[in-house]
């Protein structure tokens, strides 16, 4: 994965600003934890590039597990387990 893609995607969701806004609105600690982990992707890319894919996969798994708690997700999304 190229660094410019990481930066672009990180700014969309994984930013301290997004974390702050979600925390301010009372979002769950689980969601905030995923955002925090996403904020660390650029650091992982620069310090431990061999571990980047695993870190992304971990965030994906955590996100999908969290989403399964929502009926709307279970009835709408097509992502397979």
């Amino acid at each position: 994965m190229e660094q410019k893609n990481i930066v672009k995607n990180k700014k969309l969701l994984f930013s301290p600003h997004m974390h702050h806004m979600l925390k301010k609105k009372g979002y769950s600690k689980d969601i905030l934890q995923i955002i925090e982990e996403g904020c660390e992707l650029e650091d992982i890319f620069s310090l431990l590039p061999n571990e980047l894919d695993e870190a992304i996969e971990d965030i994906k798994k955590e996100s999908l597990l969290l989403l399964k708690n929502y009926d709307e997700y279970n009835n709408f999304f097509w992502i397979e387990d």
Side-chain angles (χ1 to χ4, degrees), residues 4-16:
K4 66 182 178 180
N5 290 335
I6 292 170
V7 172
K8 179 181 175 184
N9 291 320
K10 180 182 176 293
K11 288 180 183 178
L12 178 65
L13 179 62
F14 300 127
S15 68

Side-chain angles (χ1 to χ4, degrees), residues 1-2 4 25-28 35 43-44 48 50 56 61 63 66-67 70-71:
M1 183 175 280
E2 295 179 32
K4 66 182 178 180
K25 292 183 181 229
Y27 280 73
S28 75
I35 300 300
D43 292 336
I44 293 169
L48 304 164
N50 293 335
I56 292 170
K61 286 178 185 176
S63 299
L66 182 62
L67 284 171
Y70 296 92
D71 288 335

Side-chain angles (χ1 to χ4, degrees), residues 1-3 6 41-49 52:
M1 183 175 280
E2 295 179 32
Q3 185 173 8
I6 292 170
L41 289 175
E42 193 171 358
D43 292 336
I44 293 169
F45 176 77
S46 63
L47 299 173
L48 304 164
L52 180 62

Side-chain angles (χ1 to χ4, degrees), residues 16-44:
H17 173 73
M18 180 62 74
H19 183 275
H20 172 75
M21 295 303 295
L22 294 177
K23 185 175 182 179
K24 184 177 175 182
K25 292 183 181 229
Y27 280 73
S28 75
K29 290 180 182 181
D30 294 330
I31 292 173
L32 295 174
Q33 179 64 35
I34 291 169
I35 300 300
E36 285 178 25
E37 290 173 12
C39 288
E40 297 169 355
L41 289 175
E42 193 171 358
D43 292 336
I44 293 169

